[in-house]
Amino acid sequence: MRHFFEGIRPINLLIITLGTIIFGFGLIHFNLQNGLAHGGFTGLTLIIYYLMGMPPSVSNILLNVPLFFIGYKLLGRKLFLYSIFGTLMLSLSLHFFENYWHMNVNLENDMILVSLFAGVFAGTGLGIIFRAGGTTGGVDILARLAEKYLGLAIGTFMFSFDAFVIMFSLILLTLPEAMYTLVAVFIASRVIDFIIEGANAGKSAMIISNHTDAISDAIIKRMHRGSTVLTGRGSFTRDERNVLYCVVNKNQLIQLKNIIHDVDPYAFVTVHDVKEVAGEGFTFEKNSPPS
């Protein structure tokens, strides 16, 4: 039994708990209180509530837990445990906000604000849960089963399932409510992406110049950043030349462009988004070990 729980970090459980509290608060006080739906199995719990009056805290467990056990081998031990914990904590959070701390968020005359806040709370909560290695819904299990036995892509299945839930909610919701739900789901997806990938985002630059050494020295001196020299060859001239690769924080991009222009105004530069940067100079300093 002890071996079964090996590798489970208490700090991750605390982070998942925080995420479920944020997610649960948003679902009760913005989605449920204002008649909005949601995507995934969470959306199904809201539909069941609108149809049958069953509390989302109960239907969340009834829908999700059996699927986790069905898909245990597909998830793996650690993700299975984190996901079971996240599902149970989300139900506890929903139960708490349904019965013990229910605020009246009176925004029925401003549904745009409702959908924005619903998306922000859902995206923030889910993003925190995902970063800690957990999940809260069975759509992930269904998607993995569909990939294994039906050959469907995971992303395609998850998008289709969300679309189905939202389309089905049209039976219960008015057209404006369904459209506001789409806004909330879109905002949630953007916030999730930012939390998962954007917290350590940066910019990368590929610099082709006859003065890469001078540019590299200027970057080190003025920005205290390193760079990597790659060897390339022009497809037209067949001449070999150095290519400088450099990654910086977003707020340093203008400074990097100025340095390149000062050294070689004719340098060929391409700039790309980097969703996440890890390593020396970004997630830990030179003389400090990674945390």
Side-chain angles (χ1 to χ4, degrees):
M1 180 63 69
R2 183 178 179 181
H3 175 73
F4 186 71
F5 291 97
E6 185 178 351
I8 301 300
R9 301 176 61 192
I11 185 64
N12 283 16
L13 298 180
L14 290 174
I15 293 172
I16 290 173
T17 300
L18 174 63
T20 59
I21 291 172
I22 295 172
F23 187 26
F25 179 89
L27 283 175
I28 296 300
H29 294 96
F30 293 102
N31 295 76
L32 192 64
Q33 198 173 117
N34 294 279
L36 298 185
H38 194 71
F41 267 40
T42 305
L44 285 181
T45 65
L46 296 177
I47 290 175
I48 291 172
Y49 173 80
Y50 296 141
L51 281 173
M52 305 168 55
M54 180 183 292
S57 56
V58 176
S59 58
N60 181 61
I61 293 179
L62 294 178
L63 288 172
N64 284 300
V65 171
L67 273 178
F68 283 126
F69 284 98
I70 292 172
Y72 168 72
K73 290 185 178 180
L74 293 173
L75 284 176
R77 178 183 58 86
K78 186 179 292 188
L79 181 57
F80 168 78
L81 291 174
Y82 280 144
S83 298
I84 283 288
F85 180 81
T87 300
L88 295 176
M89 289 307 301
L90 177 59
S91 284
L92 286 175
S93 297
L94 291 171
H95 180 73
F96 175 77
F97 290 121
E98 285 169 358
N99 298 283
Y100 301 107
W101 195 45
H102 190 80
M103 298 171 55
N104 183 24
V105 183
N106 187 17
L107 294 173
E108 59 184 14
N109 295 322
D110 195 344
M111 291 300 292
I112 293 179
L113 201 58
V114 169
S115 60
L116 290 176
F117 271 90
V120 168
F121 272 90
T124 301
L126 288 172
I128 290 172
I129 293 167
F130 293 157
R131 278 193 73 94
T135 65
T136 62
V139 179
D140 182 61
I141 307 293
L142 288 178
R144 291 168 189 256
L145 290 171
E147 180 191 39
K148 183 176 181 179
Y149 296 108
L150 301 177
L152 298 177
I154 289 179
T156 300
F157 180 89
M158 295 183 74
F159 175 80
S160 301
F161 190 91
D162 285 347
F164 167 77
V165 171
I166 294 173
M167 290 297 293
F168 185 77
S169 68
L170 280 171
I171 300 174
L172 306 171
L173 308 181
T174 64
L175 181 60
E177 287 171 340
M179 295 175 70
Y180 286 127
T181 295
L182 288 174
V183 172
V185 171
F186 177 78
I187 296 296
S189 68
R190 297 298 91 198
V191 175
I192 290 172
D193 288 344
F194 173 78
I195 292 177
I196 293 177
E197 302 173 343
N200 295 316
K203 295 285 187 178
S204 69
M206 299 287 287
I207 307 159
I208 301 175
S209 169
N210 293 324
H211 306 282
T212 52
D213 289 340
I215 295 173
S216 176
D217 291 342
I219 291 172
I220 294 172
K221 183 177 180 181
R222 292 164 57 176
M223 297 183 63
H224 305 289
R225 285 283 180 204
S227 56
T228 300
V229 179
L230 309 173
T231 301
R233 187 177 65 177
S235 61
F236 181 73
T237 63
R238 302 295 179 182
D239 293 336
E240 289 193 356
R241 60 179 63 190
N242 289 333
V243 179
L244 204 62
Y245 178 74
C246 183
V247 179
V248 298
N249 292 322
K250 288 182 177 181
N251 57 0
Q252 294 179 311
L253 180 61
I254 298 299
Q255 186 180 6
L256 177 63
K257 288 181 177 180
N258 290 336
I259 289 173
I260 297 169
H261 185 269
D262 291 344
V263 176
D264 183 7
Y266 299 99
F268 182 82
V269 182
T270 60
V271 178
H272 307 274
D273 289 322
V274 178
K275 291 187 176 180
E276 186 169 1
V277 188
E280 184 179 311
F282 290 90
T283 54
F284 65 92
E285 298 302 322
K286 181 177 181 180
N287 297 321
S288 302
S291 57

